[in-house]
Amino acid sequence: MKYITLIVFLSFFYMTGQKLTEFKSKNINIKAEKNIKTDKLTIKFVEGLSGWKTTWYILFNENKIEENNFPKTKGIYSLVINYSDNLYYSEFIIYRHNPINENLEFYFYEENKRVFCRIKSENVFELNKEIVMNDFNQSEMKKMIDSIQLENE
């Protein structure tokens, strides 16, 4: 009986100790553990591949979900997640059907000084995964751009 009481107490303590921040809308549910600063988090879809005629759908910015700013047609999109000034994740996805009934879930947490996100999607099977946010190294990006410019000369 002592062990059962101890297990119940520790489980309750653990569950109440993990405070989550949560944002919900029709298509999006975002959860973040207490050490994630959601005011530094941006999630968006970019329609199209690159260049002109791209449309941005900002899903989450400045601690709020942008209502009614979700893609309404099937097509190729890029999911872009930014955290703070130096962490990002980007991936191309294809909505083969109208994404209007999509239900996206994002769960952000930090572990071993790295930021992770567990993504769930009802319409895009490839999005059902756990990702780690990548460092955005501006000096490396500048070197890459400079090398491309040198090749084109």
Side-chain angles (χ1 to χ4, degrees):
M1 185 65 174
K2 286 182 187 179
Y3 293 114
I4 293 173
T5 305
L6 181 62
I7 290 172
V8 169
F9 176 76
L10 289 176
S11 297
F12 177 77
F13 181 76
Y14 177 76
M15 289 171 29
T16 57
Q18 293 292 333
K19 298 200 188 248
L20 293 176
T21 304
E22 187 170 6
F23 304 90
K24 276 187 164 187
S25 76
K26 178 183 173 191
N27 299 102
I28 303 168
N29 184 14
I30 298 170
K31 294 179 183 176
E33 289 186 357
K34 66 180 177 180
N35 52 349
I36 300 294
K37 296 176 176 98
T38 56
D39 60 330
K40 296 183 177 190
L41 178 64
T42 304
I43 303 172
K44 62 187 161 229
F45 277 133
V46 180
E47 183 177 16
L49 296 175
S50 66
W52 65 289
K53 285 197 174 184
T54 58
T55 305
W56 291 37
Y57 298 95
I58 298 174
L59 306 178
F60 184 80
N61 190 29
E62 296 179 355
N63 261 348
K64 66 181 178 195
I65 292 176
E66 300 292 333
E67 296 289 337
N68 301 318
N69 199 21
F70 202 83
K72 294 169 180 55
T73 60
K74 61 184 176 179
I76 298 173
Y77 296 89
S78 180
L79 170 66
V80 180
I81 303 172
N82 292 314
Y83 181 70
S84 192
D85 291 333
N86 61 340
L87 296 177
Y88 78 99
Y89 178 80
S90 180
E91 173 179 13
F92 286 111
I93 60 169
I94 299 174
Y95 274 106
R96 291 178 176 88
H97 306 287
N98 188 336
I100 198 74
N101 294 322
E102 172 67 289
N103 185 18
L104 283 174
E105 294 182 20
F106 299 91
Y107 178 75
F108 292 90
Y109 64 96
E110 186 176 344
E111 192 172 288
N112 295 328
K113 297 184 181 180
R114 299 193 78 186
V115 176
F116 293 86
C117 179
R118 191 173 305 124
I119 307 171
K120 291 183 183 178
S121 168
E122 287 185 6
N123 293 355
V124 181
F125 177 74
E126 295 82 12
L127 278 179
N128 294 316
K129 64 176 121 190
E130 193 162 354
I131 57 110
V132 61
M133 301 295 289
N134 301 305
D135 284 327
F136 183 74
N137 189 328
Q138 290 181 349
S139 64
E140 287 294 320
M141 184 62 74
K142 184 172 178 0
K143 286 179 191 176
M144 189 183 321
I145 291 170
D146 290 344
S147 72
I148 291 170
Q149 289 175 343
L150 287 175
E151 290 177 9
N152 290 334
E153 292 179 352

